[in-house]
Amino acid sequence: MAELAEKIEILADALRSSQRVAVLTGAGASQESGVPTFRGAEGLWKGKNPMEMASMEAFLADPAGVWEWYDWRRGQLAQCKPNPGHVALAELESKVEDFLLVTQNVDGLHQAAGSKKMVELHGDIWTLKCVKECGYKTLNKSPSIAKLPRCPTCEEYLRPGVVWFGESLPEEGLIQAHAAATQAEVFLVVGTSAVVFPAAGLATVARRSGAKVFEINPYPVQKKTTTVVLKGLSGEILPQVLEKMY
Ligand code: NAD
């Protein structure tokens, strides 16, 4: 078993010599920014079942209650800043010819760090859209919108632009993510427990298509698919990888 420092070199070498790189991130990538993960010890929904809040059914049953919970989350996220892991991934984008960052996070921290070539598979919490899908959509970064907002076009409720349980993922994003996993020479999995499909299956797709799969996680999960596991925090490991690349 190579030591972490050696594995950092191995990942840096692989990235340096690759033209096509795809990265999948999950809640762990934002943990060092103070955003709680879902399934860690400080699980965001600990004591509250996510299924009770993040679904259309829940919203229709109690729109104000579900909104209140999202408003609380927006307030929490508004105080979080990108961590060195986010920054390193934004930098990586500029160093690789063909790059795609696929995130399951809805917190907007990758964009805040400067990432552009990216897909938000589970949507984003700062987008508001009409619950009746009249087409109205807007970006609103206000940390608090205390009262459940209404659609200015059709007066229905607005809802957060995240993908709720039971909803389909954005088709175009999914196609892009799948294509990137298929074509990647290096596929990097950062801070995800890989239990939410289809994102969770992307590493397998990548490996079967010939990619070297690397995982960065203090509690690695991708044992079967991963070529190299870097056990630790992404905010500590990723900047070292970038430093070793050049
Ligand atoms: P998860 O909570 O299921 O798993 C987080 C993973 O990150 C765990 O394997 C954990 O060991 C690892 N981890 C914790 N700290 C880390 C660190 N500093 N560096 C690297 N890895 C670390 O999260 P998930 O797999 O993303 O799936 C949960 C779902 O919840 C996703 O659909 C996501 O959309 C949503 N979610 C998003 C956010 C966010 O936007 N930041 C936060 C919580 C949950």
Side-chain angles (χ1 to χ4, degrees):
M1 262 287 262
E3 291 301 318
L4 182 60
E6 202 181 318
K7 291 178 176 182
I8 288 172
E9 296 265 10
I10 294 171
L11 175 54
D13 283 349
L15 289 169
R16 196 187 308 109
S17 56
S18 298
Q19 289 180 339
R20 293 180 304 280
V21 172
V23 182
L24 172 68
T25 64
S30 294
Q31 183 265 336
E32 289 153 274
S33 295
V35 181
T37 60
F38 278 179
R39 294 173 187 83
E42 296 178 357
L44 181 63
W45 281 334
K46 212 173 166 190
K48 249 185 188 179
N49 181 353
M51 300 289 283
E52 284 169 24
M53 310 304 281
S55 73
M56 181 61 94
E57 236 173 21
F59 186 76
L60 294 179
D62 179 13
V66 170
W67 180 258
E68 195 186 337
W69 184 74
Y70 274 101
D71 195 47
W72 166 74
R73 259 195 94 187
R74 284 168 62 104
Q76 242 186 0
L77 291 175
Q79 293 169 31
C80 298
K81 303 258 177 301
N83 67 57
H86 292 114
V87 174
L89 288 176
E91 200 184 329
L92 180 62
E93 170 181 318
S94 68
K95 308 224 179 276
V96 178
E97 204 175 298
D98 193 344
F99 179 89
L100 188 69
L101 171 64
V102 180
T103 189
Q104 300 168 88
N105 295 343
V106 299
D107 54 32
L109 290 175
H110 283 301
Q111 294 93 324
S115 283
K116 290 192 177 61
K117 293 180 185 169
M118 61 174 295
V119 163
E120 292 172 302
L121 265 192
H122 295 170
D124 106 271
I125 202 166
W126 306 109
T127 293
L128 304 179
K129 61 182 189 180
C130 179
V131 76
K132 288 283 180 229
E133 295 185 3
C134 76
Y136 181 80
K137 210 178 189 179
T138 187
L139 192 67
N140 184 321
K141 288 231 155 188
S142 164
S144 178
I145 306 174
K147 195 166 173 276
L148 174 60
R150 291 273 186 178
C151 175
T153 309
C154 72
E155 305 212 328
E156 277 296 342
Y157 292 131
L158 291 179
R159 54 161 284 185
V162 299
V163 178
W164 278 340
F165 288 105
E167 294 183 328
S168 315
L169 269 56
E171 198 184 337
E172 200 185 315
L174 203 51
I175 291 170
Q176 264 184 282
H178 195 270
T182 310
Q183 290 154 20
E185 291 163 74
V186 170
F187 190 86
L188 178 58
V189 184
V190 181
T192 173
S193 59
V195 290
V196 183
F197 278 84
L202 288 171
T204 308
V205 170
R207 182 182 54 93
R208 288 194 182 143
S209 307
K212 290 178 191 156
V213 178
F214 293 80
E215 179 180 16
I216 300 178
N217 195 319
Y219 305 101
V221 285
Q222 298 275 341
K223 292 187 184 80
K224 283 188 198 140
T225 42
T226 310
T227 314
V228 180
V229 173
L230 295 91
K231 205 169 168 201
L233 307 178
S234 53
E236 290 177 7
I237 292 177
L238 281 167
Q240 295 181 57
V241 172
L242 264 288
E243 204 183 300
K244 291 279 174 205
M245 269 179 81
Y246 296 92

